[in-house]
Amino acid sequence: MLKDIEVFNKLVTKLLEDEKNNPVAKHIPSSDLFQELDLSVSENPIDENKFNQVLEELVLATPRTATTAFFNQLFGGRNSKAVLGDLLAVMLNNSMYTYKAAGPQIGVEKVILDEVCKIIGWDKNSGGTFAPGGSMTNFMGMLMARDSFNQKVRYEGVTQKMTVYTSKDSHYSIPKNAAFAGIGRDNVRYIPSNEKGVMDPQQLNNSIKKDIENGFHPILVNATAGTTVLGAFDSIKDISQICLDNNVWLHVDGAYCGSVIFSEKYKHLVEGLVKADSFSFNAHKMIGTPLSCSLIVVKEKKHLYDSFSNDASYLYQTDHDDFNLGKTSLQCGRRNDALKFWTLWKSVGTKGLEKIVDHQFYLADVARDYISNNPNYTVYSYDDSISICFNYKGISARELCTSLYEKSELLVGYGSFNEDEFIRLVTINAQNKKEDILNFFKILEQFVEDTVVI
Ligand SMILES: *Cc1c(COP(=O)(O)O)cnc(C)c1O
């Protein structure tokens, strides 16, 4: 074991060193991948040196998500305290279903969930769990909504015409999950949003009313805290009232920006969250833990038991349900995703989490100021968002992003809203500084100047 840990340390040292000079790994076209790297496995073992060499090549050729040049998705950076926790989780290799198998790690998970519920303002009836990503925590929210509408579904299957509501700018996991849940993709109602990407509550209300008249059963409204493209926040306050009036479950998908709950300055963006039935967020996005670290919390913990508990005498042999977290989980065996969040939280405190969140908004302000004051840029995004959407000199966003990627300059993506397509710079890496953001634009502008034809 220790020998491989040494190999690990060497590789990581090399990677960190190389990242400083080369924030983007050299692009390997997918068509050349198997010629460039020896990824094949064979019948016989390979020589140790050869193995180490191949491993090093693989590590150094992998896209770098922790550097000052990665703005491609809604995660980035490398928070060392959280990495420490995740490395330990791998070494310990517990499964989080029972106290017997995970011991004090159960306490780690419980502390995080309890603290999150407290921050939201929920009482001791609340609870939560970790699942492998925001798509899955959204799925859990949908299943609880379905089962709380009709407890028999668990046994008899879906027999009623159920509908769910989400904005047209929400995450694609909603229709996928509707298919998984037996509700059906065709029964997802996409509510229009305003020019800032925020769901229109009036149209939501109309859509629910119309469906009820037509014999449908509205079971869930999904509000988004940070839409995937624009980073917009639906008005939870307005939507919660509509849900209350119509007796519909409210889930808040905060995968991207739900972590604003940790910030005094920005938590107003999720005002009314206390009235939601369930809320999910990804600590691997705004908080910056390694992938994946996704939580769902529920106002009434009983819904977690109702939808996810199943007796299993071969598994649950000691201790109370409160410590056997498998009783409220989507999975059986479950990775310890809580420890990396805990090591970070324990070390920096809630104030430290707040700083992480606030810094991302600061970096977004830096970026927005820069492009707003430069006539070569067209701006498509709004305040209070860490997604900075823009175009440069009218160049096609799609072509510019692809070109920057293929030439190993910057990893940044493009998105679209209504008729516009634009570059989306995401200031989610809290290790970045003001200079890193300004440098992003410098590289982009220099690249455009040097590249005659794009
Ligand atoms: C990222 C994201 C998800 C999905 O989370 P995964 O962890 O990638 O499955 C869901 N909703 C929103 C708004 C997101 O930004």
Side-chain angles (χ1 to χ4, degrees), residues 74 133-135 138 171 224 226 228 253 255-256 282 284-285:
L74 309 182
S135 301
N138 282 345
H171 192 254
T224 310
T228 309
D253 173 7
Y256 181 14
N282 283 353
H284 69 250
K285 287 185 174 169

